[in-house]
Amino acid sequence: MLERVKAALPALPPAEQRVAKLLLADARSFASLPVSELADRSHVSKPTVVRFCRSVGYDGLADFKLKLAGSVNEGVPFVHRAVDEDDKPQDIIVKVVDNAVAALLHYRNDAAGHAFERAIDALADSARHGKRIEFYGVGNSGIVAQDAQHKFFRLGVNTVATSDGHVQLMSATMLQPGDCAVIISNSGRSRDLLDAADIARKKGATIIIITASASPLAQLALGPSQILLAVDHPEDFDRYSPMVSRLLHLMAVDILTTGVALKLGQQLRPMLQEIKKNLRAKRYAG
């Protein structure tokens, strides 16, 4: 959470930068002080404090302080333990599991509910009106995109997943207003994905970007039709396969899928029941 604020600091207005610097100087006190005290210490107005919280992706001051308290409290530690060449299998088990659990707990406190709400609304609206939902990813993120496509396909959504850079560019070129492009990247630096995101934006589609908050790809999610679902973690993706990031990206997809399913509600029930019936018949026939 603090890493996200540091990354956003240069782009904030001067008054909001003062609020950010107060936060970074003493996050624990920021979480407990009333808005009037925060405004006085930052030499800004109370509405500016609230605007700062929204600028960095939260619903407002209450939501921001709730997430901040979870991040700074000792009850949810986040220590990434690197795997070493001489680790025994038992050491690997402990480190891999601990890293995954700590990352998921950290993400629970850090995820911006306001951004997810916007993303779920956009995806549900596209689904209701029969618009296209495209999932783009390359390499490991391409596998996450395929998982997302499978989940949304079961909701009866018109969707595809694309991991080839040339196909992504062609697909983005055919997008229209009302369509959604969900772009998934661990590093946020893939040239193919940056190009696809830029084309989709120019075509008027809603762009939902799942990536690190300080990455070039995240910088594209600044307009009204662009939504950043920031996923930050200390994993060294140059040394090992990005295991933690994959789990966090899958978790973000699960949140989106669940939210969209709830939005569509009764519309989904007959189709899901029919799918279950047909799968059961196939299983018994085999």
Side-chain angles (χ1 to χ4, degrees):
M1 187 170 184
L2 297 180
E3 288 80 4
R4 182 188 304 179
V5 172
K6 289 178 184 177
L9 186 60
L12 294 173
E16 293 181 25
Q17 285 188 12
R18 292 198 291 273
V19 182
K21 289 175 181 177
L22 177 67
L23 163 70
L24 295 173
D26 189 354
R28 193 176 296 276
S29 294
F30 193 101
S32 61
L33 291 173
V35 63
S36 57
E37 182 70 16
L38 293 173
D40 289 344
R41 294 192 183 190
S42 304
H43 305 291
V44 299
S45 66
K46 288 187 284 187
T48 298
V49 177
V50 178
R51 281 196 299 272
F52 157 74
C53 297
R54 291 175 176 160
S55 294
V56 293
Y58 297 87
D59 293 343
L61 181 60
D63 180 50
F64 184 86
K65 291 175 73 171
L66 178 65
K67 301 291 178 60
L68 179 63
S71 294
V72 299
N73 284 342
E74 296 178 356
V76 184
F78 187 29
V79 179
H80 187 85
R81 304 171 64 191
V83 178
D84 298 316
E85 286 83 354
D86 58 351
D87 279 343
K88 295 179 175 59
Q90 185 60 38
D91 298 323
I92 297 173
I93 292 171
V94 171
K95 288 184 177 182
V96 170
V97 173
D98 282 357
N99 287 343
V101 171
L104 291 171
L105 289 173
H106 185 270
Y107 187 64
R108 180 193 65 185
N109 290 327
D110 205 26
H114 178 64
F116 269 101
E117 181 179 6
R118 290 180 58 209
I120 290 168
D121 285 343
L123 291 167
D125 192 58
S126 293
R128 287 193 192 97
H129 294 90
K131 294 292 187 175
R132 297 169 58 194
I133 297 177
E134 307 279 325
F135 293 97
Y136 302 153
V138 297
N140 190 71
S141 297
I143 298 172
V144 179
Q146 291 176 13
D147 178 78
Q149 188 272 338
H150 175 70
K151 288 185 169 71
F152 274 76
F153 165 76
R154 294 184 63 187
L155 300 181
V157 175
N158 181 18
T159 179
V160 298
T162 307
S163 57
D164 180 273
H166 291 86
V167 178
Q168 288 169 355
L169 294 183
M170 291 187 286
S171 174
T173 302
M174 291 186 284
L175 292 174
Q176 300 177 359
D179 295 332
C180 286
V182 183
I183 303 171
I184 307 165
S185 176
N186 179 31
S187 67
R189 300 178 184 279
S190 166
R191 186 71 261 168
D192 288 341
L193 293 177
L194 286 165
D195 291 342
D198 188 51
I199 292 171
R201 177 182 59 82
K202 290 177 180 177
K203 299 300 289 188
T206 298
I207 304 172
I208 300 168
I209 298 176
I210 303 175
T211 192
S213 59
S215 67
L217 190 57
Q219 300 307 308
L220 295 178
L222 300 177
S225 294
Q226 291 91 52
I227 304 166
L228 173 63
L229 303 180
V231 177
D232 296 305
H233 56 87
E235 185 174 52
D236 183 359
F237 57 84
D238 290 326
R239 185 177 179 190
Y240 297 110
S241 173
M243 295 176 287
V244 170
S245 67
R246 184 186 69 246
L247 292 174
L248 294 176
H249 291 165
L250 289 169
M251 179 62 65
V253 167
D254 283 350
I255 294 170
L256 292 175
T257 307
T258 304
V260 171
L262 291 173
K263 285 281 184 181
L264 298 180
Q266 296 296 325
Q267 174 182 336
L268 286 176
R269 186 164 297 174
M271 181 186 58
L272 292 177
Q273 289 175 341
E274 185 174 2
I275 289 174
K276 185 180 295 185
K277 175 184 175 182
N278 290 336
L279 288 174
R280 186 183 299 114
K282 178 176 176 61
R283 184 166 59 248
Y284 290 155

